[in-house]
Coordinates of all heavy atoms in Angstrom, one line a residue:
E1 N -14.9 -15.8 -18.4 CA -14.5 -14.4 -18.5 C -15.1 -13.6 -17.3 O -16.3 -13.8 -17.0 CB -15.0 -13.8 -19.8 CG -14.7 -12.3 -20.0 CD -15.3 -11.8 -21.3 OE1 -15.4 -12.6 -22.2 OE2 -15.5 -10.6 -21.3
D2 N -14.3 -12.8 -16.7 CA -14.8 -12.0 -15.6 C -15.4 -10.7 -16.1 O -14.7 -9.9 -16.8 CB -13.6 -11.7 -14.7 CG -14.0 -11.0 -13.4 OD1 -15.1 -10.5 -13.3 OD2 -13.2 -11.1 -12.4
N3 N -16.7 -10.5 -15.9 CA -17.4 -9.3 -16.3 C -17.3 -8.1 -15.4 O -18.1 -7.2 -15.5 CB -18.8 -9.6 -16.7 CG -18.9 -10.5 -17.9 OD1 -18.1 -10.3 -18.9 ND2 -19.8 -11.4 -18.0
N4 N -16.5 -8.2 -14.4 CA -16.4 -7.1 -13.4 C -15.8 -5.9 -14.0 O -14.7 -5.9 -14.5 CB -15.5 -7.6 -12.2 CG -15.4 -6.6 -11.1 OD1 -15.4 -5.4 -11.3 ND2 -15.4 -7.1 -9.9
P5 N -16.6 -4.8 -14.1 CA -16.1 -3.6 -14.7 C -14.9 -3.0 -14.1 O -14.0 -2.4 -14.8 CB -17.3 -2.6 -14.7 CG -18.2 -3.1 -13.6 CD -17.9 -4.6 -13.5
A6 N -14.7 -3.1 -12.8 CA -13.6 -2.6 -12.1 C -12.3 -3.3 -12.5 O -11.3 -2.7 -12.8 CB -13.7 -2.7 -10.6
K7 N -12.4 -4.6 -12.7 CA -11.2 -5.4 -13.1 C -10.9 -5.1 -14.6 O -9.7 -5.0 -15.0 CB -11.4 -6.9 -12.9 CG -11.3 -7.2 -11.5 CD -11.4 -8.7 -11.3 CE -11.2 -9.1 -9.8 NZ -11.3 -10.6 -9.6
R8 N -11.9 -4.9 -15.4 CA -11.6 -4.6 -16.8 C -11.0 -3.2 -16.9 O -10.0 -3.0 -17.7 CB -12.9 -4.6 -17.6 CG -13.5 -5.9 -18.0 CD -14.5 -5.9 -19.1 NE -15.4 -4.8 -19.0 CZ -16.6 -4.9 -18.4 NH1 -17.0 -6.1 -17.8 NH2 -17.5 -3.9 -18.3
L9 N -11.5 -2.2 -16.2 CA -10.9 -0.9 -16.2 C -9.5 -0.8 -15.7 O -8.6 -0.2 -16.3 CB -11.8 0.0 -15.4 CG -11.3 1.5 -15.3 CD1 -11.4 2.2 -16.6 CD2 -12.2 2.2 -14.3
L10 N -9.2 -1.6 -14.7 CA -7.9 -1.5 -14.1 C -6.9 -2.6 -14.7 O -5.8 -2.6 -14.2 CB -8.0 -1.8 -12.6 CG -8.8 -0.7 -11.9 CD1 -9.1 -1.1 -10.5 CD2 -8.0 0.6 -11.9
G11 N -7.3 -3.3 -15.6 CA -6.4 -4.3 -16.3 C -6.2 -5.5 -15.4 O -5.0 -5.9 -15.2
G12 N -7.2 -6.1 -14.9 CA -7.1 -7.4 -14.2 C -7.0 -7.1 -12.7 O -7.8 -6.3 -12.2
D13 N -6.2 -7.8 -12.0 CA -6.1 -7.7 -10.5 C -5.1 -6.7 -10.1 O -4.7 -6.7 -8.9 CB -5.8 -9.1 -9.9 CG -6.9 -10.0 -10.2 OD1 -8.1 -9.6 -10.2 OD2 -6.7 -11.2 -10.3
K14 N -4.6 -5.8 -10.9 CA -3.6 -4.8 -10.5 C -4.1 -3.4 -10.6 O -5.0 -3.1 -11.4 CB -2.3 -4.9 -11.4 CG -1.6 -6.2 -11.3 CD -0.4 -6.2 -12.2 CE 0.3 -7.6 -12.1 NZ 1.5 -7.7 -13.0
I15 N -3.6 -2.6 -9.7 CA -4.0 -1.2 -9.8 C -2.7 -0.4 -9.7 O -1.7 -0.9 -9.2 CB -5.0 -0.7 -8.7 CG1 -4.4 -0.8 -7.3 CG2 -6.3 -1.4 -8.8 CD1 -5.2 -0.1 -6.3
I16 N -2.7 0.8 -10.1 CA -1.5 1.7 -10.0 C -1.9 2.8 -9.0 O -2.9 3.5 -9.2 CB -1.1 2.3 -11.3 CG1 -0.9 1.2 -12.3 CG2 0.0 3.3 -11.2 CD1 0.4 1.2 -13.1
A17 N -1.1 2.9 -8.0 CA -1.4 4.0 -6.9 C -0.4 5.1 -7.1 O 0.8 4.8 -7.3 CB -1.3 3.3 -5.5
E18 N -0.9 6.3 -7.1 CA 0.0 7.5 -7.1 C 0.2 7.9 -5.7 O -0.8 8.3 -5.0 CB -0.6 8.6 -7.9 CG 0.2 9.8 -8.0 CD -0.4 10.9 -8.9 OE1 -1.0 10.5 -10.0 OE2 -0.3 12.0 -8.6
V19 N 1.4 7.9 -5.2 CA 1.7 8.2 -3.8 C 2.5 9.5 -3.7 O 3.5 9.7 -4.4 CB 2.6 7.1 -3.2 CG1 2.9 7.4 -1.7 CG2 1.8 5.8 -3.3
H20 N 2.0 10.5 -3.0 CA 2.7 11.7 -2.7 C 3.2 11.6 -1.2 O 2.4 11.7 -0.3 CB 1.8 12.9 -2.8 CG 1.4 13.2 -4.2 ND1 2.1 14.1 -5.1 CD2 0.4 12.6 -5.0 CE1 1.5 14.1 -6.3 NE2 0.5 13.2 -6.3
A21 N 4.5 11.4 -1.0 CA 5.0 11.1 0.3 C 5.0 12.3 1.2 O 4.8 12.1 2.4 CB 6.4 10.6 0.2
T22 N 5.1 13.5 0.7 CA 5.1 14.7 1.6 C 4.2 15.7 1.0 O 4.1 15.8 -0.2 CB 6.5 15.2 1.8 OG1 7.0 15.6 0.5 CG2 7.4 14.3 2.5
P23 N 3.6 16.6 1.8 CA 2.8 17.7 1.2 C 3.6 18.5 0.3 O 4.8 18.9 0.6 CB 2.4 18.5 2.5 CG 2.5 17.5 3.6 CD 3.6 16.6 3.2
G24 N 3.1 18.9 -0.9 CA 3.7 19.7 -1.8 C 4.8 18.9 -2.6 O 5.5 19.5 -3.4
D25 N 4.8 17.6 -2.5 CA 5.8 16.8 -3.2 C 5.4 16.8 -4.7 O 4.3 16.4 -5.1 CB 5.8 15.4 -2.7 CG 6.9 14.5 -3.3 OD1 7.6 15.0 -4.2 OD2 7.0 13.4 -2.9
D26 N 6.3 17.4 -5.6 CA 6.0 17.4 -7.0 C 6.4 16.2 -7.8 O 6.1 16.1 -8.9 CB 6.6 18.7 -7.6 CG 6.0 20.0 -7.1 OD1 4.8 20.0 -6.8 OD2 6.8 21.0 -7.0
A27 N 7.0 15.3 -7.1 CA 7.5 14.1 -7.8 C 6.8 12.9 -7.2 O 7.3 12.2 -6.3 CB 9.0 13.9 -7.6
P28 N 5.5 12.6 -7.6 CA 4.8 11.4 -7.1 C 5.5 10.1 -7.4 O 6.2 10.0 -8.4 CB 3.4 11.5 -7.7 CG 3.7 12.2 -9.0 CD 4.8 13.2 -8.7
R29 N 5.3 9.1 -6.6 CA 5.8 7.8 -6.8 C 4.6 6.9 -7.3 O 3.6 7.0 -6.6 CB 6.4 7.3 -5.5 CG 7.1 6.0 -5.6 CD 7.9 5.7 -4.4 NE 7.2 4.8 -3.5 CZ 7.5 4.5 -2.3 NH1 8.5 5.0 -1.7 NH2 6.8 3.6 -1.6
Y30 N 4.8 6.2 -8.3 CA 3.8 5.3 -8.8 C 4.1 3.9 -8.4 O 5.2 3.4 -8.6 CB 3.6 5.4 -10.3 CG 3.2 6.8 -10.8 CD1 4.1 7.8 -11.1 CD2 1.8 7.1 -10.8 CE1 3.6 9.0 -11.4 CE2 1.4 8.3 -11.2 CZ 2.3 9.3 -11.5 OH 1.9 10.6 -11.8
V31 N 3.1 3.2 -7.8 CA 3.4 1.9 -7.3 C 2.3 1.0 -7.9 O 1.1 1.3 -7.8 CB 3.3 1.9 -5.7 CG1 3.5 0.5 -5.2 CG2 4.3 2.9 -5.2
T32 N 2.7 -0.2 -8.4 CA 1.7 -1.2 -8.8 C 1.4 -2.1 -7.7 O 2.3 -2.7 -7.1 CB 2.3 -2.0 -10.0 OG1 2.6 -1.1 -11.1 CG2 1.3 -3.0 -10.5
L33 N 0.1 -2.2 -7.4 CA -0.4 -3.1 -6.3 C -1.0 -4.2 -7.0 O -2.0 -4.1 -7.8 CB -1.4 -2.3 -5.4 CG -0.8 -1.1 -4.7 CD1 -2.0 -0.4 -4.0 CD2 0.3 -1.4 -3.8
S34 N -0.6 -5.4 -6.7 CA -1.1 -6.6 -7.4 C -1.7 -7.6 -6.4 O -2.2 -8.6 -6.8 CB 0.0 -7.3 -8.2 OG 1.1 -7.6 -7.4
R35 N -1.6 -7.4 -5.1 CA -2.2 -8.3 -4.1 C -2.9 -7.4 -3.1 O -2.5 -6.3 -2.8 CB -1.3 -9.2 -3.5 CG -0.2 -8.6 -2.6 CD 0.7 -9.7 -2.1 NE 1.8 -9.1 -1.4 CZ 1.9 -9.0 -0.1 NH1 1.0 -9.6 0.6 NH2 2.9 -8.4 0.5
F36 N -4.1 -7.9 -2.6 CA -4.9 -7.2 -1.7 C -5.2 -8.1 -0.5 O -5.4 -9.3 -0.7 CB -6.2 -6.7 -2.4 CG -5.8 -5.8 -3.6 CD1 -5.8 -6.4 -4.9 CD2 -5.6 -4.5 -3.4 CE1 -5.4 -5.5 -5.9 CE2 -5.3 -3.7 -4.5 CZ -5.2 -4.2 -5.7
P37 N -5.3 -7.5 0.7 CA -5.1 -6.1 0.9 C -3.7 -5.7 0.8 O -2.8 -6.5 1.0 CB -5.6 -5.9 2.4 CG -5.4 -7.3 3.0 CD -5.6 -8.3 1.9
A38 N -3.5 -4.4 0.5 CA -2.1 -3.8 0.4 C -2.0 -2.7 1.4 O -3.0 -1.9 1.6 CB -1.9 -3.2 -1.0
T39 N -0.9 -2.7 2.2 CA -0.8 -1.8 3.3 C 0.2 -0.7 2.9 O 1.2 -0.9 2.2 CB -0.3 -2.5 4.5 OG1 0.9 -3.2 4.3 CG2 -1.3 -3.4 5.1
I40 N 0.0 0.5 3.3 CA 0.8 1.7 3.1 C 1.1 2.3 4.5 O 0.2 2.5 5.2 CB 0.2 2.7 2.2 CG1 -0.1 2.0 0.8 CG2 1.0 3.9 2.0 CD1 -0.9 2.9 -0.2
G41 N 2.4 2.6 4.7 CA 2.7 3.3 6.0 C 4.2 3.3 6.2 O 5.0 3.0 5.3
R42 N 4.6 3.7 7.4 CA 6.0 3.7 7.8 C 6.6 2.4 8.2 O 7.8 2.2 8.2 CB 6.2 4.7 9.0 CG 6.3 6.1 8.6 CD 6.7 7.0 9.8 NE 5.8 6.9 10.9 CZ 6.1 6.6 12.1 NH1 7.3 6.2 12.5 NH2 5.1 6.5 13.0
G43 N 5.7 1.5 8.6 CA 6.1 0.2 9.1 C 6.9 -0.7 8.0 O 6.5 -0.7 6.9
Y44 N 7.9 -1.3 8.5 CA 8.7 -2.2 7.6 C 7.9 -3.4 7.0 O 8.4 -4.0 6.1 CB 10.0 -2.6 8.3 CG 10.9 -1.5 8.5 CD1 11.3 -1.1 9.8 CD2 11.4 -0.7 7.5 CE1 12.2 -0.1 10.1 CE2 12.3 0.4 7.7 CZ 12.6 0.7 9.0 OH 13.5 1.7 9.2
D45 N 6.8 -3.7 7.6 CA 6.0 -4.8 7.1 C 5.0 -4.4 6.1 O 4.2 -5.2 5.6 CB 5.3 -5.5 8.3 CG 4.4 -4.6 9.1 OD1 4.6 -3.4 9.1 OD2 3.5 -5.1 9.8
C46 N 4.9 -3.1 5.8 CA 4.0 -2.6 4.8 C 4.4 -2.9 3.4 O 5.6 -3.1 3.1 CB 3.8 -1.1 4.9 SG 3.0 -0.6 6.4
D47 N 3.4 -3.0 2.5 CA 3.7 -3.2 1.1 C 4.4 -2.0 0.4 O 5.2 -2.1 -0.5 CB 2.4 -3.6 0.3 CG 1.8 -4.9 0.9 OD1 2.5 -5.9 0.9 OD2 0.7 -4.9 1.3
V48 N 3.9 -0.8 0.8 CA 4.5 0.4 0.4 C 5.0 1.2 1.6 O 4.2 1.5 2.5 CB 3.5 1.3 -0.4 CG1 4.1 2.6 -0.9 CG2 3.0 0.5 -1.6
I49 N 6.3 1.4 1.7 CA 6.8 2.0 2.9 C 7.1 3.5 2.6 O 7.8 3.8 1.6 CB 8.1 1.3 3.4 CG1 7.8 -0.2 3.7 CG2 8.8 2.0 4.5 CD1 9.0 -1.0 3.9
L50 N 6.6 4.4 3.5 CA 6.8 5.8 3.3 C 7.7 6.3 4.5 O 7.5 6.0 5.6 CB 5.5 6.6 3.4 CG 4.5 6.1 2.3 CD1 3.2 6.9 2.5 CD2 5.0 6.4 0.9
A51 N 8.8 7.0 4.1 CA 9.7 7.6 5.1 C 9.2 9.0 5.5 O 9.8 10.0 5.1 CB 11.1 7.6 4.6
D52 N 8.1 9.1 6.2 CA 7.5 10.4 6.6 C 7.0 10.2 8.0 O 6.2 9.4 8.3 CB 6.4 10.7 5.7 CG 5.8 12.1 5.9 OD1 5.8 12.6 7.1 OD2 5.2 12.7 5.0
I53 N 7.5 11.1 8.9 CA 7.2 11.0 10.4 C 5.7 11.3 10.6 O 5.2 11.0 11.7 CB 8.1 11.9 11.2 CG1 7.9 13.3 10.9 CG2 9.5 11.5 11.2 CD1 8.5 14.3 11.8
H54 N 5.0 11.9 9.7 CA 3.6 12.2 9.8 C 2.7 11.1 9.4 O 1.5 11.2 9.5 CB 3.3 13.5 9.0 CG 4.1 14.7 9.4 ND1 4.1 15.2 10.7 CD2 5.0 15.4 8.7 CE1 4.9 16.2 10.8 NE2 5.5 16.4 9.6
V55 N 3.3 10.0 8.9 CA 2.5 8.9 8.5 C 2.6 7.8 9.5 O 3.6 7.5 10.1 CB 3.1 8.3 7.1 CG1 2.5 7.0 6.7 CG2 3.0 9.4 6.0
A56 N 1.4 7.2 9.8 CA 1.4 6.1 10.8 C 2.1 4.9 10.3 O 2.2 4.7 9.1 CB -0.1 5.8 11.2
P57 N 2.6 4.0 11.2 CA 3.3 2.8 10.8 C 2.4 2.0 9.9 O 2.9 1.4 8.9 CB 3.5 2.1 12.1 CG 3.7 3.2 13.1 CD 2.7 4.2 12.7
R58 N 1.1 1.9 10.1 CA 0.1 1.2 9.2 C -0.9 2.3 8.9 O -2.0 2.3 9.5 CB -0.4 0.0 9.9 CG -1.2 -0.8 9.0 CD -1.7 -2.1 9.7 NE -2.6 -2.9 8.9 CZ -2.3 -4.0 8.3 NH1 -1.0 -4.5 8.4 NH2 -3.1 -4.6 7.5
H59 N -0.7 3.1 7.9 CA -1.5 4.3 7.7 C -2.7 4.0 6.9 O -3.8 4.6 7.2 CB -0.6 5.3 6.9 CG -1.1 6.7 6.8 ND1 -1.1 7.5 7.9 CD2 -1.7 7.4 5.8 CE1 -1.6 8.7 7.6 NE2 -2.0 8.6 6.3
L60 N -2.6 3.1 5.9 CA -3.8 2.9 5.0 C -3.7 1.5 4.5 O -2.7 0.9 4.3 CB -3.6 3.9 3.8 CG -4.6 3.8 2.7 CD1 -6.0 4.3 3.1 CD2 -4.1 4.6 1.5
V61 N -4.9 0.9 4.3 CA -5.1 -0.4 3.7 C -6.0 -0.2 2.5 O -7.0 0.3 2.6 CB -5.7 -1.4 4.7 CG1 -5.9 -2.7 4.0 CG2 -4.8 -1.5 6.0
I62 N -5.5 -0.7 1.4 CA -6.3 -0.7 0.1 C -6.7 -2.1 -0.1 O -5.9 -3.0 -0.1 CB -5.4 -0.1 -1.0 CG1 -5.0 1.3 -0.7 CG2 -6.2 -0.2 -2.3 CD1 -4.1 1.9 -1.8
D63 N -8.0 -2.3 -0.4 CA -8.5 -3.7 -0.6 C -9.6 -3.6 -1.6 O -10.0 -2.5 -2.1 CB -9.0 -4.2 0.8 CG -9.0 -5.7 0.8 OD1 -8.8 -6.4 -0.2 OD2 -9.3 -6.2 1.9
R64 N -10.2 -4.7 -1.9 CA -11.3 -4.8 -2.8 C -12.5 -5.3 -2.0 O -12.3 -6.2 -1.1 CB -11.1 -5.8 -3.9 CG -10.1 -5.3 -4.9 CD -10.1 -6.2 -6.2 NE -9.0 -5.8 -7.1 CZ -9.2 -4.9 -8.1 NH1 -10.3 -4.3 -8.2 NH2 -8.2 -4.6 -8.9
D65 N -13.7 -4.8 -2.2 CA -14.9 -5.3 -1.5 C -15.4 -6.5 -2.3 O -14.9 -7.0 -3.3 CB -15.9 -4.2 -1.3 CG -16.5 -3.7 -2.6 OD1 -16.3 -4.3 -3.7 OD2 -17.2 -2.6 -2.5
A66 N -16.6 -7.0 -1.8 CA -17.2 -8.2 -2.4 C -17.5 -8.0 -3.9 O -17.6 -9.0 -4.6 CB -18.4 -8.6 -1.6
Q67 N -17.8 -6.8 -4.3 CA -18.1 -6.5 -5.7 C -16.9 -6.2 -6.5 O -17.0 -5.9 -7.7 CB -19.1 -5.3 -5.8 CG -20.5 -5.6 -5.3 CD -20.6 -5.7 -3.7 OE1 -19.9 -4.9 -3.1 NE2 -21.4 -6.6 -3.2
G68 N -15.7 -6.2 -6.0 CA -14.5 -6.0 -6.7 C -14.1 -4.5 -6.7 O -13.1 -4.2 -7.4
R69 N -14.8 -3.6 -6.1 CA -14.5 -2.2 -6.0 C -13.3 -2.0 -5.1 O -13.1 -2.7 -4.1 CB -15.7 -1.4 -5.6 CG -16.8 -1.5 -6.5 CD -18.0 -0.7 -5.9 NE -18.4 -1.4 -4.7 CZ -19.6 -1.4 -4.2 NH1 -20.6 -0.7 -4.8 NH2 -20.0 -2.0 -3.1
I70 N -12.5 -1.0 -5.4 CA -11.3 -0.7 -4.6 C -11.8 0.2 -3.4 O -12.5 1.2 -3.6 CB -10.3 0.0 -5.4 CG1 -9.8 -0.9 -6.5 CG2 -9.1 0.5 -4.5 CD1 -9.0 -0.2 -7.6
V71 N -11.4 -0.2 -2.2 CA -11.8 0.6 -1.0 C -10.5 0.9 -0.2 O -9.5 0.1 -0.2 CB -12.8 -0.2 -0.1 CG1 -14.1 -0.3 -0.8 CG2 -12.3 -1.5 0.3
A72 N -10.5 2.0 0.5 CA -9.4 2.4 1.3 C -9.9 2.5 2.7 O -11.0 3.1 3.0 CB -8.8 3.7 0.9
R73 N -9.2 2.0 3.7 CA -9.6 2.1 5.1 C -8.4 2.3 5.9 O -7.3 2.1 5.6 CB -10.4 0.9 5.6 CG -9.8 -0.5 5.2 CD -10.7 -1.6 5.6 NE -10.4 -2.8 4.8 CZ -9.4 -3.7 5.2 NH1 -8.8 -3.5 6.4 NH2 -9.2 -4.7 4.5

């Protein structure tokens, strides 16, 4: 049994990310991330692709650190 509190809280190895694609967007998009690192950006090779010219092609990487905590870089 894995006693990692982050994994218990998030339901295993998956997390749900709430994405607001544009400022003031009232309709967030919910995305389940099940593998890490997960990339978010405009690039077609990203796990979550955003169609926003203000977002870099590889805007954000979500990963887990050695203790299982979720980190964004």
Side-chain angles (χ1 to χ4, degrees):
E1 177 180 334
D2 190 341
N3 290 322
N4 183 322
K7 286 187 178 181
R8 283 198 316 269
L9 177 65
L10 297 168
D13 292 328
K14 295 181 181 180
I15 66 168
I16 304 231
E18 180 177 323
V19 179
H20 292 264
T22 58
D25 187 359
D26 291 331
R29 187 168 101 187
Y30 295 93
V31 180
T32 302
L33 303 174
S34 58
R35 66 184 173 103
F36 301 95
T39 55
I40 298 174
R42 277 188 299 125
Y44 292 119
D45 60 336
C46 290
D47 298 302
V48 179
I49 300 171
L50 302 177
D52 185 332
I53 62 170
H54 303 298
V55 173
R58 188 177 175 106
H59 193 76
L60 177 70
V61 176
I62 298 175
D63 206 351
R64 291 190 185 272
D65 67 10
Q67 289 78 36
R69 295 175 296 208
I70 298 165
V71 294
R73 46 185 161 87

